[in-house]
């Protein structure tokens, strides 16, 4: 079985000349379908950088990045935008919902922007997802009227909207209290178990990392595979 | 794209005060544009009406041989009449070409005239007059004598005269009194004053004596032929073209009103260009206002734009959303401004009927469609810069924050 994501010898440097910083120094990484992996590493080690590259929001300096068999290092911007929309979901530390839109409108954004309108099916699925994340009573609330934990659950629902193969979460619980953080992780675990969606979650939190079946550590610009739990 | 429209609309309604102010600003610009159009257009109608209302649009005369040498220096209003009294330039063949001219499309009315100079004598008082002989049923064909009548009537017989009010005052005469009319050909007739008019044009009110064609024939020893034909057109703007056509078809000298009023036309042109300048500034103000407001909004929404891009919105989609905001602002501002403009111009009488001293704005010349279209186009152009800035937002630069 081929990997969902296949990264080889990935290099990313920021800046030029004197100010050049080499963040990723030949990183190799495979992610299989259905994995629930934590991304660990000290601050500044390059976790966000890696997630951004895996999410096709940034191009690596060199190395290869394939997903679903497609070579994403050579694809055009337009193709990457479309690929991202279809196959990748994002959850960020700071929720980043569209503030002037309701919870439901936020959730269906990825589908609506693809279809050019909000279809009835999209609304149906959006409602289901919001029920699943426990926000059936907040569907028509404006994003700004939700609590931090609620916003993060809306963001997870949105990440799942287009049924992506891969969801990238950059410190999704970094801004939440312990209880909300655990709720969010339970939700991620449940979706991962049921839908075989692959999750890669960066975190500083050992407890969060322990929930994940696999742990990947970015050390000195390379990925060190942690233990794999049964 | 429906979805882009929804987002653009939501962005505009999210901050109602800001959008309201922006649209109000655009509406004011459009209002200025429309008001200037109506004012400049109205002033032109008013001034032309004022100038041309009581004169012929086209005058037909015999081709003159040497008119300049016949004009005495230093005599003001009498110049034209003096030339005609020489009788050397009469139209002998009016019957031949008049039906032709009458049949031309665009010709409203023709008036055959015999003109000449003379004196009006009452007792020991004498006043110089310019005598115009007209067809008795066309007294009011060129200048509206009927409307300007102060007393009496415009009925003309072979022994009556209609005088300008200033002239009547100078002589101290009124309707019903008898005066003697003396032509420069030495012929003298006693005539009864049948009417007195006041056109408000000094030269006419102080000098003009209108008689029937028959009376004029006697006075000026002109058993046949006429001095000139004056023509009113349906559209006075067609005068130069019509004059050219008449001259070509009859071989006579046809002069449009514009020829003697070059200053007026220059003035109107200058007025129109200054109006256009003001309108251009109104448009520029709209464009700058819309551009700066949208640029500000682009900046404020950077994080959202980044997130939309991360969620799979293309650059084109982002551009579309922002250009659409500009277009919506332009269209709404344009419609509101045009509506306000129309509503505030409507109470004004059209310039043809404007009272002296009134503002001669012309509600028909508001150029509403043009104002709305230019504003919408301007607003779209204004949004291109902010839209491109929005499309360049790098998702990576905002999601880390
Ligand atoms: N746009 C950039 N320009 C220059 N250097 C950058 C840029 N983004 C990140 N870096 C540098 O790259 C390194 C890795 O940053 P990154 O954000 O990937 O770390 P991280 O592992 O996510 O850290 P944290 O755990 O604090 O979020 C850091 O040293 C950072 O200063
Ligand atoms: Mg980070």
């Amino acid at each position: 079985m081929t990997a969902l994501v296949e990264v080889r010898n990935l290099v990313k440097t920021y800046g030029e000349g004197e100010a050049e910083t080499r963040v990723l120094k030949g990183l190799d990484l495979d992610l299989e379908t259905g994995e629930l992996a934590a991304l660990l590493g000290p601050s500044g080690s390059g976790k966000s950088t890696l997630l951004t590259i895996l999410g096709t929001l940034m191009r690596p300096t060199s190395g290869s990045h394939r997903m679903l068999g497609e070579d994403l290092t050579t694809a055009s911007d337009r193709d990457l935008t479309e690929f991202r929309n279809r196959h990748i979901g994002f959850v960020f530390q700071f929720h980043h919902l569209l503030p002037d839109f309701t919870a439901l409108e936020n959730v269906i954004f990825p589908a609506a922007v693809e279809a050019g309108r909000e279809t009835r099916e999209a609304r149906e699925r959006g409602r289901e997802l919001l029920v699943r994340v426990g926000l059936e009573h907040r569907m028509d609330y404006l994003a700004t009227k939700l609590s931090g934990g609620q916003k993060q659950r809306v963001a997870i629902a949105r990440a799942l909207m287009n049924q992506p193969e891969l969801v990238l979460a950059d410190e999704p619980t970094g801004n939440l209290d312990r209880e909300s953080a655990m709720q969010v992780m339970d939700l991620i675990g449940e979706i991962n178990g049921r839908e075989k969606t692959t999750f890669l979650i960066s975190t500083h939190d050992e407890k969060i990392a322990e929930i994940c079946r696999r742990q990947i550590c970015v050390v000195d610009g390379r990925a060190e595979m942690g233990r794999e739990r049964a | 794209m429906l979805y882009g429209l929804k987002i653009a609309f939501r962005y505009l309604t999210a901050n109602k005060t800001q959008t309201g102010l922006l649209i109000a600003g655009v509406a004011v610009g459009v209002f200025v544009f429309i008001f200037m159009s109506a004012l400049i257009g109205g002033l032109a109608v008013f001034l032309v009406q004022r100038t041309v209302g009581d004169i012929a649009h086209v005058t037909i005369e015999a081709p003159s041989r040497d008119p300049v040498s016949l004009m005495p220096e230093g005599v003001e209003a009498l110049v034209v009449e003096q030339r005609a009294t020489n009788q050397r330039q009469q139209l002998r063949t009016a019957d031949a070409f008049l039906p032709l001219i009458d049949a031309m499309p665009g010709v409203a009315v023709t008036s055959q005239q015999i003109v000449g100079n003379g004196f009006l004598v009452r007792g020991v008082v004498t006043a110089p007059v310019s005598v115009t002989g007209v067809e008795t049923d066309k007294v009011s064909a060129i200048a509206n004598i009927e409307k300007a009548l102060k007393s009496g009537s415009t009925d003309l017989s072979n022994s009556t005269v209609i005088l300008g009010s200033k002239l009547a005052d100078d002589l101290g005469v009124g309707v019903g009194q008898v005066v003697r009319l003396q032509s420069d050909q030495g012929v003298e007739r006693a005539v009864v004053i049948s009417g007195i008019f006041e056109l408000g044009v000094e030269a006419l009110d102080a000098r003009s004596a209108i008689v029937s064609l028959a009376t004029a024939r006697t006075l000026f020893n002109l058993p046949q032929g006429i001095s000139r034909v004056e023509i009113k057109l349906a559209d006075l703007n067609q005068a130069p073209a019509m004059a050219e056509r008449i001259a070509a078809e009859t071989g006579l000298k046809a002069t449009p009103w514009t020829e003697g009023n070059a200053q007026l036309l220059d003035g109107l042109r200058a007025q129109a260009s200054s109006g256009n300048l003001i309108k251009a500034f109104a448009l520029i103000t709209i464009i700058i206002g819309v551009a700066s407001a949208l640029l500000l909004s682009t900046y404020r929404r950077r994080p959202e734009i980044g997130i939309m891009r991360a969620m799979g919105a293309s650059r084109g989609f982002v551009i579309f959303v922002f250009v659409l905001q500009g277009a919506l602002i332009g269209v709404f501002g344009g419609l509101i401004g045009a509506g306000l403009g129309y509503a505030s111009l409507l109470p004004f009488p059209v310039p043809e009927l404007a009272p002296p001293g009134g503002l001669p704005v012309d509600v028909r010349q508001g150029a509403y469609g043009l104002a709305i279209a230019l504003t919408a186009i301007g607003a779209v152009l204004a949004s291109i810069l902010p839209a491109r800035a929005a499309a360049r937002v790098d998702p990576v630069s905002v999601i880390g924050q």
Side-chain angles (χ1 to χ4, degrees):
Chain A
M1 183 183 150
T2 59
L4 172 68
V5 178
E6 195 184 278
V7 167
R8 290 291 172 271
N9 200 19
L10 199 72
V11 174
K12 178 68 194 178
T13 53
Y14 288 112
E16 275 171 34
E18 289 279 291
E20 190 181 278
T21 5
R22 221 171 150 80
V23 180
L24 302 179
K25 307 168 182 172
L27 181 142
D28 296 328
L29 176 68
D30 283 332
L31 287 174
E32 307 291 341
T33 298
E35 269 197 292
L36 176 56
L39 189 62
L40 294 162
S43 183
S45 57
K47 300 183 296 295
S48 296
T49 302
L50 178 59
L51 288 176
T52 312
I53 292 173
L54 292 180
T56 74
L57 293 172
M58 184 165 67
R59 291 174 189 273
T61 308
S62 67
S64 88
H65 170 210
R66 303 178 72 87
M67 181 171 164
L68 291 164
E70 279 190 51
D71 184 357
L72 299 179
T73 41
T74 54
S76 71
D77 275 355
R78 190 183 296 261
D79 289 342
L80 287 184
T81 300
E82 206 180 304
F83 187 89
R84 193 155 69 224
N85 179 266
R86 297 238 173 100
H87 305 296
I88 302 173
F90 290 96
V91 182
F92 304 104
Q93 180 174 359
F94 303 100
H95 344 298
H96 288 304
L97 301 181
L98 307 177
D100 299 313
F101 293 78
T102 65
L104 181 62
E105 286 169 334
N106 265 283
V107 170
I108 61 183
F109 181 88
V113 81
E114 187 190 5
R117 62 196 183 91
E118 291 178 338
T119 60
R120 196 209 306 230
E121 298 78 53
R123 261 194 289 270
E124 288 287 295
R125 176 162 168 80
R127 280 199 200 91
E128 273 170 37
L129 285 167
L130 279 171
V131 170
R132 191 114 64 89
V133 300
L135 288 174
E136 58 272 22
H137 58 301
R138 291 286 183 274
M139 291 196 187
D140 298 319
Y141 271 52
L142 279 181
T144 46
K145 300 262 157 67
L146 300 171
S147 76
Q150 289 171 337
K151 281 184 196 166
Q152 204 55 304
R153 282 185 276 161
V154 172
I156 291 171
R158 180 178 62 184
L160 297 171
M161 183 65 203
N162 279 356
Q163 292 172 287
E165 285 80 358
L166 175 67
V167 172
L168 301 166
D170 197 356
E171 301 189 43
T173 60
N175 235 18
L176 304 178
D177 60 28
R178 169 77 33 207
E179 195 182 332
S180 311
M182 284 309 155
Q183 277 178 11
V184 165
M185 284 313 293
D186 287 349
L187 183 63
I188 288 177
E190 183 205 320
I191 292 160
N192 170 259
R194 186 154 15 146
E195 296 197 6
K196 297 280 164 266
T197 308
T198 305
F199 278 86
L200 181 61
I201 304 161
S202 89
T203 181
H204 287 286
D205 188 330
E206 278 298 324
K207 287 223 164 53
I208 301 286
E210 273 168 23
I211 296 173
C212 301
R213 276 190 295 280
R214 181 181 169 199
Q215 290 158 3
I216 300 161
C217 209
V218 181
V219 177
D220 195 26
R222 291 169 211 273
E224 288 182 1
M225 302 305 151
R227 70 203 143 87
E228 186 122 9
R229 294 193 310 175
Chain B
M1 269 208 318
L2 219 58
Y3 194 55
L5 186 67
K6 173 176 174 157
I7 293 184
F9 209 78
R10 185 67 60 86
Y11 277 2
L12 289 178
T13 49
N15 195 338
K16 294 200 177 63
T17 318
Q18 191 193 321
T19 306
L21 281 174
L22 186 54
I23 288 181
V26 172
V28 168
V30 173
F31 182 88
V32 168
F33 187 100
I34 285 173
F35 195 83
M36 281 317 292
S37 301
L39 182 61
I40 299 296
L43 265 175
V45 170
F46 180 76
L47 291 175
V48 168
Q49 187 77 18
R50 258 310 178 78
T51 312
V52 185
D54 289 328
I55 66 171
H57 296 159
V58 178
T59 305
I60 300 177
E61 292 158 306
S64 79
R65 291 181 188 101
D66 193 11
V68 180
S69 67
L70 299 170
M71 267 195 271
E73 286 294 320
V75 177
E76 353 176 59
L78 289 171
V79 171
V80 174
E81 323 298 343
Q82 283 269 356
R83 196 172 78 197
T85 51
N86 288 289
Q87 309 295 329
R88 284 188 263 277
Q89 299 156 16
Q90 36 167 309
L91 296 166
R92 292 179 194 286
T93 52
D95 295 346
F97 63 79
L98 260 182
L100 181 79
I101 292 170
D102 269 323
M104 280 186 183
V107 171
V109 61
T110 56
S111 167
Q112 305 179 47
Q113 300 176 359
I114 293 171
V115 291
N117 291 322
F119 294 95
L120 203 58
V121 185
R122 182 206 172 214
V124 291
V125 192
T126 303
V129 291
S130 62
V131 180
T132 310
V134 299
E135 296 149 279
T136 52
D137 58 338
K138 288 185 176 172
V139 174
S140 298
I142 304 300
N144 196 341
I145 303 297
E146 180 82 57
K147 198 179 147 209
L149 210 57
K150 276 184 78 183
S151 56
S153 76
T154 57
D155 294 338
L156 274 183
S157 73
N158 287 347
S159 58
T160 58
V161 66
I162 303 171
L163 298 180
S165 60
K166 182 90 188 337
L167 182 60
D169 283 351
D170 286 351
L171 289 171
V173 292
V175 169
Q177 285 185 267
V178 180
V179 288
R180 279 183 297 136
L181 193 52
Q182 215 171 54
S183 79
D184 58 3
Q185 302 291 309
V187 181
E188 188 178 312
R189 293 285 300 264
V191 285
V192 180
I193 299 169
S194 65
I196 292 172
F197 66 87
E198 184 171 299
L199 283 167
V201 182
E202 172 75 14
L204 295 175
D205 290 345
R207 297 253 194 277
S208 188
I210 301 171
V211 297
S212 70
L213 263 184
T215 310
R217 282 196 196 290
T218 328
L219 282 172
F220 296 106
N221 288 324
L222 204 67
Q224 64 200 1
I226 52 172
S227 330
R228 67 184 185 197
V229 176
E230 290 198 328
I231 301 172
K232 282 265 181 191
L233 302 174
D235 176 6
L236 59 82
N237 296 314
Q238 292 300 315
M242 282 300 283
E244 215 166 283
R245 193 171 151 202
I246 291 169
E249 289 190 17
T250 62
L252 299 168
K253 184 182 165 208
T255 314
W257 68 271
T258 47
E259 212 148 282
N261 290 282
Q263 278 154 316
L264 172 71
L265 294 171
D266 284 347
L268 291 180
R269 261 192 291 277
Q271 200 174 278
S273 14
S274 55
N276 285 338
L277 205 65
I278 295 175
K279 287 193 263 182
F281 277 120
L283 276 177
I284 290 170
T285 311
I286 290 174
I287 290 177
I288 292 176
V290 172
S292 64
L294 282 180
L295 211 52
L296 217 65
S297 148
T298 310
Y299 191 74
R300 215 160 35 81
R301 294 189 185 278
R302 276 175 61 85
E304 297 170 54
I305 295 165
I307 217 70
M308 289 201 278
R309 295 275 291 123
M311 296 294 137
S314 64
R315 281 206 170 81
F317 181 82
V318 174
I319 288 182
F320 183 66
V321 166
F322 276 83
V323 169
L324 215 51
Q325 288 183 66
L328 286 171
I329 289 167
V331 168
F332 279 117
L335 285 174
I336 291 171
L340 286 178
Y342 184 74
S344 63
L345 289 174
L346 207 52
F348 288 96
V350 293
E352 287 92 328
L353 307 172
L359 200 58
V361 289
D362 191 344
V363 67
R364 299 158 304 182
Q365 296 199 58
Y368 307 95
L370 183 71
I372 296 172
L374 285 180
T375 306
I377 292 170
V380 166
L381 290 179
S383 63
I384 287 177
L385 187 77
R388 288 174 59 111
R392 274 197 298 268
V393 169
D394 180 5
V396 181
S397 69
V398 294
I399 55 182
Q401 301 156 14

